[in-house]
Amino acid sequence: MNEVRLGTRRLQPHRQLLADGERLHLGKRALDILSVLAEANGGIVTKDELLNAVWPGVFVEENALQVHIVALRKALGPDAGRLRTIRGVGYQLDIAAGRWHPSAMLREVFGIDETYDCTVEGWTALKEGLQRLLAAG
């Protein structure tokens, strides 16, 4: 998995978490938890799945997982809300805003909403937006 943007943070899975280009101190287990959640692509990861992925073959109390989740939320700072607790199930990491999507480019750069279709008017608006962008240099 490539680098994932988490708001103001960047995750290089199983390597490091960066804020403004600076490496944030995270223990290996916390980084592994964050990486497993990121690899789920926004899906819910159960507590058992996390425990098995991060502590394979070792019995670990759920409390250990909670301690690392608290540390992760602290490290995520203003983006801590992206790490969601799914009560009684597990956790979910919102990475949707951290990935580039063509509809986001259309919306932000060209002012075209994500329901954009390939009509002549749509292509004309896209062409004009691209010309404005290139002219702005």
Side-chain angles (χ1 to χ4, degrees):
M1 168 176 256
N2 296 328
E3 185 174 277
V4 176
R5 284 199 171 281
L6 300 168
T8 60
R9 309 296 198 243
R10 290 186 347 231
L11 171 66
Q12 296 172 344
H14 301 287
R15 291 190 54 226
Q16 61 186 348
L17 181 65
L18 305 168
D20 299 321
E22 297 293 321
R23 184 179 186 163
L24 296 175
H25 177 71
L26 268 184
K28 180 187 177 333
R29 303 280 192 204
L31 187 58
D32 286 346
I33 291 167
L34 189 59
S35 298
V36 169
L37 289 167
E39 288 164 355
N41 288 316
I44 296 170
V45 180
T46 68
K47 294 173 188 177
D48 285 340
E49 289 170 333
L50 281 171
L51 291 170
N52 291 330
V54 178
W55 291 276
V58 178
F59 175 76
V60 178
E61 301 243 355
E62 192 177 305
N63 184 16
L65 180 58
Q66 293 169 345
V67 167
H68 290 290
I69 294 292
V70 169
L72 286 171
R73 286 193 171 117
K74 184 176 179 183
L76 290 170
D79 302 301
R82 290 175 178 269
L83 179 51
R84 298 185 185 115
T85 300
I86 309 302
R87 192 174 305 262
V89 178
Y91 299 92
Q92 180 180 39
L93 184 64
D94 177 11
I95 61 171
R99 296 194 182 262
W100 182 84
H101 191 275
S103 65
M105 181 198 66
L106 291 172
R107 199 172 41 255
E108 292 172 24
V109 176
F110 302 111
I112 300 169
D113 74 20
E114 54 191 86
T115 60
Y116 174 76
D117 62 359
C118 297
T119 62
V120 172
E121 294 81 14
W123 283 111
T124 302
L126 183 61
K127 178 182 168 190
E128 291 170 356
L130 184 55
Q131 288 172 336
R132 283 193 305 275
L133 183 65
L134 292 172

